Amino acid sequence: MAKKKQTNYDLKSDTSNTMIEAPKIAYLPQSPRKYRPAIGIIGCGGISRTHLTAYKNAGFNVVACCDLIEDRAKDRRDTFFPEAEIYTDFRDVLARKDIAVVDLATHPPERAPLIEASLKAKKHVLSQKPFVLDLDQGLRFGELAKKMGVKLAINQNGRWAPHFSYMRQAVAKGLIGDVLSVHMSVHWNHDWITPTPFNNVNHIMLYDFAIHWFDMFMQLTGGKKAQSVYATETFASGQKSKQPLLAEAMIQFEGGQASLVFDGFARFGSWCHTYISGTKGTLHSTGTDIGKGDVTLYTPKGTAVAKLDGSWFCDGFHGSMGELLCSIEQKREPITNAFDNVRGLEVCFAAIRSAETGKPQKVGPIRKVKI
């Protein structure tokens, strides 16, 4: 009789069918214990509705709404914070001594001078994402915040989507050991941008949308250095937007690999998927809703399913502002500080250059993009 071939996989040690209790992780957004400063929002476009909904639900104190179009500022004020003042000049907001924090919810080209002016006015700043178009400028903003004695945070609200929040903290706690691979995919219909200003944003997928996933990639690899990226963009047959809605990026990092896939013209059966493997376990989340999903943890001891509450909209926006306020109260840097955010943008910028050239790019040398 032929001798049975030996393998490294012992079926008797397979614990995948053994259910264990999910680790307790504080994944929901946090608020400061006592600190409730006066907040001014500058930029009252479409996304500001989500900002203000989250702030109202969290009990934050918004006292000013500012927009170049006065009617938009009035609408946000009347809908969410009726006692707030309205402004059309951001300098009037910065001149108010009672306002300690400003939420800059404008697009990147217009936002850079607002960040600088706000920091020089000694206001704590929450900058909408993507942070900057020039990485060195982003680093200078980080240094300026330190010089002025204020906090600068970036609104990477995806970190507080329930499944992402649970996963990033599970990685940080070492629950799956050394991370070997990160694979994330999103399949949905992004053609809604066609009648909006986003239709004119170059690299809308890899820059404006995928920055959430580039940022999460950096969080989920446990701080490992990204080395190179190969990315592509293409048009989907039948799409109306003038920007490519299909994109993907393959990333090499220290001791591992990652893939990000964006099918932005999947009109039927939306789907999202995240898979993180490590030396001690695996994390997995999947579902039809881009903003939420349970998380499964596989370990040598067994399988745990974390049933999660909440959703990306609006918990993510509570989380990003709450983190800034907590950092002020606790006298520490926010986890979404400028220096941390530039690390994710380095990968993003390399992906954009790769898509433009058709060649892999090293992470780091690409310092600017044009959008």
Side-chain angles (χ1 to χ4, degrees):
M1 176 182 289
K3 186 177 181 179
K4 185 178 180 180
K5 185 178 180 180
Q6 296 294 316
T7 69
N8 292 326
Y9 183 69
D10 182 359
L11 291 175
K12 293 183 180 179
S13 66
D14 185 358
T15 59
S16 60
N17 292 323
T18 302
M19 299 305 297
I20 60 176
E21 183 178 358
K24 303 294 184 183
I25 292 178
Y27 64 91
L28 290 172
Q30 302 296 305
S31 294
R33 295 182 62 186
K34 297 181 179 179
Y35 184 58
R36 288 294 187 275
I39 299 170
I41 185 168
I42 299 174
C44 294
I47 196 61
S48 69
R49 285 188 173 275
T50 307
H51 289 229
L52 294 172
T53 298
Y55 301 166
K56 183 177 181 179
N57 292 343
F60 297 156
N61 181 29
V62 176
V63 301
C65 296
C66 178
D67 196 277
L68 291 172
I69 301 174
E70 187 174 14
D71 285 346
R72 291 203 303 202
K74 284 183 177 179
D75 177 75
R76 299 299 184 264
R77 187 270 309 273
D78 294 346
T79 302
F80 298 100
F81 292 93
E83 302 301 318
E85 297 291 335
I86 59 171
Y87 300 93
T88 57
D89 190 331
F90 75 92
R91 288 167 292 195
D92 292 333
V93 177
L94 299 184
R96 283 185 53 171
K97 293 184 179 180
D98 62 317
I99 292 178
V101 176
V102 290
D103 178 5
L104 304 181
T106 64
H107 292 291
E110 299 84 10
R111 193 167 59 244
L114 297 178
I115 294 174
E116 183 172 7
S118 299
L119 294 174
K120 288 182 176 179
K122 295 189 177 182
K123 306 297 185 185
H124 302 290
V125 173
L126 179 64
S127 166
Q128 182 55 276
K129 62 81 203 166
F131 178 31
V132 288
L133 298 169
D134 180 333
L135 299 184
D136 294 326
Q137 181 184 56
L139 295 176
R140 288 194 295 271
F141 286 153
E143 294 295 344
L144 179 59
K146 287 185 177 181
K147 179 180 178 181
M148 303 309 296
V150 294
K151 307 299 183 185
L152 169 59
I154 318 306
N155 195 350
Q156 290 294 168
N157 44 77
R159 294 193 193 186
W160 286 273
H163 60 303
F164 281 157
S165 182
Y166 190 96
M167 289 172 131
R168 68 179 171 83
Q169 294 186 71
V171 169
K173 291 177 180 294
L175 297 186
I176 64 170
D178 193 26
V179 175
L180 306 174
S181 65
V182 176
H183 301 289
M184 296 184 280
S185 63
V186 190
H187 315 271
W188 82 114
N189 187 5
H190 209 63
D191 211 24
W192 64 266
I193 67 171
T194 302
T196 76
F198 289 105
N199 199 36
N200 297 315
V201 177
N202 294 326
H203 306 292
I204 185 68
M205 299 308 302
L206 286 177
Y207 179 67
D208 185 82
F209 185 77
I211 186 57
H212 289 296
W213 281 264
F214 286 119
D215 180 72
M216 282 307 305
F217 155 73
M218 295 303 298
Q219 299 300 307
L220 297 174
T221 53
K224 289 188 174 183
K225 181 176 176 56
Q227 297 167 329
S228 66
V229 184
Y230 176 69
T232 63
E233 293 175 312
T234 192
F235 289 89
S237 178
Q239 71 168 74
K240 294 180 180 179
S241 172
K242 64 182 182 181
Q243 305 299 333
L245 293 182
L246 305 181
E248 59 185 357
M250 304 292 292
I251 307 168
Q252 288 185 336
F253 63 89
E254 294 174 320
Q257 65 176 0
S259 65
L260 311 181
V261 177
F262 306 98
D263 288 336
F265 195 58
R267 293 179 294 169
F268 312 103
S270 63
W271 192 255
C272 50
H273 178 258
T274 303
Y275 182 93
I276 313 158
S277 69
T279 55
K280 296 181 180 179
T282 295
L283 289 161
H284 179 226
S285 180
T286 189
T288 59
D289 191 330
I290 195 174
K292 58 185 178 181
D294 297 332
V295 174
T296 302
L297 169 66
Y298 302 92
T299 73
K301 294 181 179 179
T303 300
V305 177
K307 298 289 185 179
L308 306 179
D309 296 321
S311 63
W312 187 336
F313 283 50
C314 295
D315 285 337
F317 295 81
H318 174 180
S320 53
M321 176 59 83
E323 166 59 17
L324 172 59
L325 300 184
C326 286
S327 74
I328 299 168
E329 182 178 63
Q330 297 165 15
K331 296 180 173 58
R332 60 170 175 80
E333 279 299 296
I335 64 171
T336 50
N337 64 76
F339 305 102
D340 172 84
N341 199 256
V342 164
R343 293 172 60 242
L345 279 174
E346 284 182 334
V347 186
C348 175
F349 284 17
I352 290 172
R353 181 65 61 84
S354 177
E356 292 174 341
T357 63
K359 298 178 180 179
Q361 298 291 322
K362 290 184 178 180
V363 174
I366 315 302
R367 309 305 292 176
K368 298 181 181 181
V369 294
K370 292 183 179 180
I371 301 300

PDB file of all heavy atoms in Angstrom, residues 218-237:
ATOM      1  N   MET A 218      -3.737  51.341   5.187  1.00  0.00           N
ATOM      2  CA  MET A 218      -2.638  51.701   6.077  1.00  0.00           C
ATOM      3  C   MET A 218      -2.956  51.325   7.520  1.00  0.00           C
ATOM      4  O   MET A 218      -2.082  50.881   8.266  1.00  0.00           O
ATOM      5  CB  MET A 218      -2.346  53.194   5.979  1.00  0.00           C
ATOM      6  CG  MET A 218      -1.838  53.646   4.619  1.00  0.00           C
ATOM      7  SD  MET A 218      -0.344  52.771   4.083  1.00  0.00           S
ATOM      8  CE  MET A 218       0.811  53.228   5.369  1.00  0.00           C
ATOM      9  N   GLN A 219      -4.227  51.461   7.927  1.00  0.00           N
ATOM     10  CA  GLN A 219      -4.618  51.113   9.287  1.00  0.00           C
ATOM     11  C   GLN A 219      -4.572  49.607   9.508  1.00  0.00           C
ATOM     12  O   GLN A 219      -4.210  49.136  10.595  1.00  0.00           O
ATOM     13  CB  GLN A 219      -6.042  51.622   9.569  1.00  0.00           C
ATOM     14  CG  GLN A 219      -6.205  53.124   9.463  1.00  0.00           C
ATOM     15  CD  GLN A 219      -5.314  53.870  10.437  1.00  0.00           C
ATOM     16  OE1 GLN A 219      -5.325  53.605  11.628  1.00  0.00           O
ATOM     17  NE2 GLN A 219      -4.514  54.787   9.922  1.00  0.00           N
ATOM     18  N   LEU A 220      -4.946  48.846   8.482  1.00  0.00           N
ATOM     19  CA  LEU A 220      -5.092  47.401   8.631  1.00  0.00           C
ATOM     20  C   LEU A 220      -3.788  46.631   8.469  1.00  0.00           C
ATOM     21  O   LEU A 220      -3.751  45.428   8.743  1.00  0.00           O
ATOM     22  CB  LEU A 220      -6.129  46.882   7.628  1.00  0.00           C
ATOM     23  CG  LEU A 220      -7.550  47.418   7.827  1.00  0.00           C
ATOM     24  CD1 LEU A 220      -8.458  46.947   6.703  1.00  0.00           C
ATOM     25  CD2 LEU A 220      -8.107  47.003   9.180  1.00  0.00           C
ATOM     26  N   THR A 221      -2.726  47.299   8.023  1.00  0.00           N
ATOM     27  CA  THR A 221      -1.438  46.612   7.886  1.00  0.00           C
ATOM     28  C   THR A 221      -0.566  46.803   9.116  1.00  0.00           C
ATOM     29  O   THR A 221       0.593  46.379   9.125  1.00  0.00           O
ATOM     30  CB  THR A 221      -0.681  47.100   6.632  1.00  0.00           C
ATOM     31  OG1 THR A 221      -0.583  48.523   6.669  1.00  0.00           O
ATOM     32  CG2 THR A 221      -1.380  46.656   5.375  1.00  0.00           C
ATOM     33  N   GLY A 222      -1.112  47.432  10.125  1.00  0.00           N
ATOM     34  CA  GLY A 222      -0.363  47.572  11.366  1.00  0.00           C
ATOM     35  C   GLY A 222       0.843  48.479  11.265  1.00  0.00           C
ATOM     36  O   GLY A 222       1.848  48.268  11.954  1.00  0.00           O
ATOM     37  N   GLY A 223       0.767  49.484  10.388  1.00  0.00           N
ATOM     38  CA  GLY A 223       1.857  50.448  10.276  1.00  0.00           C
ATOM     39  C   GLY A 223       2.994  50.015   9.374  1.00  0.00           C
ATOM     40  O   GLY A 223       4.030  50.695   9.305  1.00  0.00           O
ATOM     41  N   LYS A 224       2.840  48.911   8.663  1.00  0.00           N
ATOM     42  CA  LYS A 224       3.897  48.474   7.745  1.00  0.00           C
ATOM     43  C   LYS A 224       4.028  49.454   6.576  1.00  0.00           C
ATOM     44  O   LYS A 224       3.056  50.073   6.156  1.00  0.00           O
ATOM     45  CB  LYS A 224       3.581  47.077   7.212  1.00  0.00           C
ATOM     46  CG  LYS A 224       3.722  45.983   8.243  1.00  0.00           C
ATOM     47  CD  LYS A 224       3.575  44.617   7.590  1.00  0.00           C
ATOM     48  CE  LYS A 224       3.844  43.505   8.573  1.00  0.00           C
ATOM     49  NZ  LYS A 224       3.771  42.165   7.935  1.00  0.00           N
ATOM     50  N   LYS A 225       5.208  49.562   6.034  1.00  0.00           N
ATOM     51  CA  LYS A 225       5.475  50.500   4.958  1.00  0.00           C
ATOM     52  C   LYS A 225       5.021  49.935   3.617  1.00  0.00           C
ATOM     53  O   LYS A 225       5.401  48.829   3.238  1.00  0.00           O
ATOM     54  CB  LYS A 225       6.961  50.850   4.888  1.00  0.00           C
ATOM     55  CG  LYS A 225       7.309  51.851   3.786  1.00  0.00           C
ATOM     56  CD  LYS A 225       8.765  52.233   3.828  1.00  0.00           C
ATOM     57  CE  LYS A 225       9.121  53.156   2.681  1.00  0.00           C
ATOM     58  NZ  LYS A 225       8.277  54.377   2.627  1.00  0.00           N
ATOM     59  N   ALA A 226       4.198  50.700   2.900  1.00  0.00           N
ATOM     60  CA  ALA A 226       3.816  50.327   1.533  1.00  0.00           C
ATOM     61  C   ALA A 226       4.996  50.593   0.610  1.00  0.00           C
ATOM     62  O   ALA A 226       5.641  51.641   0.705  1.00  0.00           O
ATOM     63  CB  ALA A 226       2.601  51.126   1.094  1.00  0.00           C
ATOM     64  N   GLN A 227       5.277  49.659  -0.292  1.00  0.00           N
ATOM     65  CA  GLN A 227       6.467  49.768  -1.126  1.00  0.00           C
ATOM     66  C   GLN A 227       6.163  50.171  -2.561  1.00  0.00           C
ATOM     67  O   GLN A 227       6.804  51.082  -3.102  1.00  0.00           O
ATOM     68  CB  GLN A 227       7.218  48.425  -1.106  1.00  0.00           C
ATOM     69  CG  GLN A 227       7.718  48.071   0.291  1.00  0.00           C
ATOM     70  CD  GLN A 227       8.189  46.646   0.413  1.00  0.00           C
ATOM     71  OE1 GLN A 227       7.679  45.748  -0.267  1.00  0.00           O
ATOM     72  NE2 GLN A 227       9.159  46.407   1.282  1.00  0.00           N
ATOM     73  N   SER A 228       5.203  49.507  -3.197  1.00  0.00           N
ATOM     74  CA  SER A 228       4.900  49.836  -4.598  1.00  0.00           C
ATOM     75  C   SER A 228       3.429  49.569  -4.888  1.00  0.00           C
ATOM     76  O   SER A 228       2.767  48.805  -4.180  1.00  0.00           O
ATOM     77  CB  SER A 228       5.779  49.021  -5.551  1.00  0.00           C
ATOM     78  OG  SER A 228       5.458  47.639  -5.471  1.00  0.00           O
ATOM     79  N   VAL A 229       2.935  50.202  -5.959  1.00  0.00           N
ATOM     80  CA  VAL A 229       1.529  50.094  -6.347  1.00  0.00           C
ATOM     81  C   VAL A 229       1.436  49.955  -7.863  1.00  0.00           C
ATOM     82  O   VAL A 229       2.143  50.644  -8.610  1.00  0.00           O
ATOM     83  CB  VAL A 229       0.725  51.348  -5.934  1.00  0.00           C
ATOM     84  CG1 VAL A 229      -0.750  51.164  -6.270  1.00  0.00           C
ATOM     85  CG2 VAL A 229       0.889  51.641  -4.471  1.00  0.00           C
ATOM     86  N   TYR A 230       0.561  49.061  -8.299  1.00  0.00           N
ATOM     87  CA  TYR A 230       0.185  49.001  -9.715  1.00  0.00           C
ATOM     88  C   TYR A 230      -1.328  49.175  -9.784  1.00  0.00           C
ATOM     89  O   TYR A 230      -2.074  48.419  -9.159  1.00  0.00           O
ATOM     90  CB  TYR A 230       0.576  47.673 -10.353  1.00  0.00           C
ATOM     91  CG  TYR A 230       0.117  47.558 -11.793  1.00  0.00           C
ATOM     92  CD1 TYR A 230       0.687  48.340 -12.794  1.00  0.00           C
ATOM     93  CD2 TYR A 230      -0.910  46.684 -12.149  1.00  0.00           C
ATOM     94  CE1 TYR A 230       0.258  48.252 -14.104  1.00  0.00           C
ATOM     95  CE2 TYR A 230      -1.348  46.589 -13.459  1.00  0.00           C
ATOM     96  CZ  TYR A 230      -0.763  47.377 -14.430  1.00  0.00           C
ATOM     97  OH  TYR A 230      -1.193  47.297 -15.730  1.00  0.00           O
ATOM     98  N   ALA A 231      -1.788  50.193 -10.516  1.00  0.00           N
ATOM     99  CA  ALA A 231      -3.218  50.510 -10.548  1.00  0.00           C
ATOM    100  C   ALA A 231      -3.703  50.724 -11.968  1.00  0.00           C
ATOM    101  O   ALA A 231      -2.929  51.101 -12.861  1.00  0.00           O
ATOM    102  CB  ALA A 231      -3.495  51.761  -9.710  1.00  0.00           C
ATOM    103  N   THR A 232      -4.986  50.495 -12.172  1.00  0.00           N
ATOM    104  CA  THR A 232      -5.610  50.725 -13.476  1.00  0.00           C
ATOM    105  C   THR A 232      -6.945  51.438 -13.292  1.00  0.00           C
ATOM    106  O   THR A 232      -7.569  51.356 -12.233  1.00  0.00           O
ATOM    107  CB  THR A 232      -5.862  49.408 -14.233  1.00  0.00           C
ATOM    108  OG1 THR A 232      -6.801  48.609 -13.486  1.00  0.00           O
ATOM    109  CG2 THR A 232      -4.571  48.631 -14.435  1.00  0.00           C
ATOM    110  N   GLU A 233      -7.357  52.127 -14.333  1.00  0.00           N
ATOM    111  CA  GLU A 233      -8.682  52.740 -14.408  1.00  0.00           C
ATOM    112  C   GLU A 233      -9.231  52.474 -15.810  1.00  0.00           C
ATOM    113  O   GLU A 233      -8.479  52.480 -16.785  1.00  0.00           O
ATOM    114  CB  GLU A 233      -8.613  54.257 -14.219  1.00  0.00           C
ATOM    115  CG  GLU A 233      -8.200  54.733 -12.855  1.00  0.00           C
ATOM    116  CD  GLU A 233      -8.056  56.245 -12.811  1.00  0.00           C
ATOM    117  OE1 GLU A 233      -7.402  56.813 -13.722  1.00  0.00           O
ATOM    118  OE2 GLU A 233      -8.597  56.863 -11.882  1.00  0.00           O
ATOM    119  N   THR A 234     -10.542  52.261 -15.910  1.00  0.00           N
ATOM    120  CA  THR A 234     -11.148  52.084 -17.228  1.00  0.00           C
ATOM    121  C   THR A 234     -12.627  52.439 -17.160  1.00  0.00           C
ATOM    122  O   THR A 234     -13.219  52.506 -16.071  1.00  0.00           O
ATOM    123  CB  THR A 234     -10.963  50.644 -17.737  1.00  0.00           C
ATOM    124  OG1 THR A 234     -11.321  50.588 -19.123  1.00  0.00           O
ATOM    125  CG2 THR A 234     -11.819  49.656 -16.950  1.00  0.00           C
ATOM    126  N   PHE A 235     -13.214  52.667 -18.324  1.00  0.00           N
ATOM    127  CA  PHE A 235     -14.630  52.996 -18.408  1.00  0.00           C
ATOM    128  C   PHE A 235     -15.464  51.719 -18.473  1.00  0.00           C
ATOM    129  O   PHE A 235     -15.072  50.740 -19.118  1.00  0.00           O
ATOM    130  CB  PHE A 235     -14.911  53.850 -19.645  1.00  0.00           C
ATOM    131  CG  PHE A 235     -14.383  55.252 -19.550  1.00  0.00           C
ATOM    132  CD1 PHE A 235     -13.095  55.550 -19.956  1.00  0.00           C
ATOM    133  CD2 PHE A 235     -15.180  56.263 -19.032  1.00  0.00           C
ATOM    134  CE1 PHE A 235     -12.601  56.845 -19.861  1.00  0.00           C
ATOM    135  CE2 PHE A 235     -14.699  57.566 -18.934  1.00  0.00           C
ATOM    136  CZ  PHE A 235     -13.405  57.857 -19.350  1.00  0.00           C
ATOM    137  N   ALA A 236     -16.613  51.757 -17.837  1.00  0.00           N
ATOM    138  CA  ALA A 236     -17.555  50.647 -17.910  1.00  0.00           C
ATOM    139  C   ALA A 236     -18.499  50.873 -19.089  1.00  0.00           C
ATOM    140  O   ALA A 236     -18.959  51.997 -19.314  1.00  0.00           O
ATOM    141  CB  ALA A 236     -18.360  50.541 -16.617  1.00  0.00           C
ATOM    142  N   SER A 237     -18.774  49.832 -19.825  1.00  0.00           N
ATOM    143  CA  SER A 237     -19.693  49.936 -20.949  1.00  0.00           C
ATOM    144  C   SER A 237     -21.072  50.382 -20.466  1.00  0.00           C
ATOM    145  O   SER A 237     -21.651  49.768 -19.570  1.00  0.00           O
ATOM    146  CB  SER A 237     -19.808  48.586 -21.658  1.00  0.00           C
ATOM    147  OG  SER A 237     -20.733  48.659 -22.721  1.00  0.00           O
TER     148      SER A 237
END
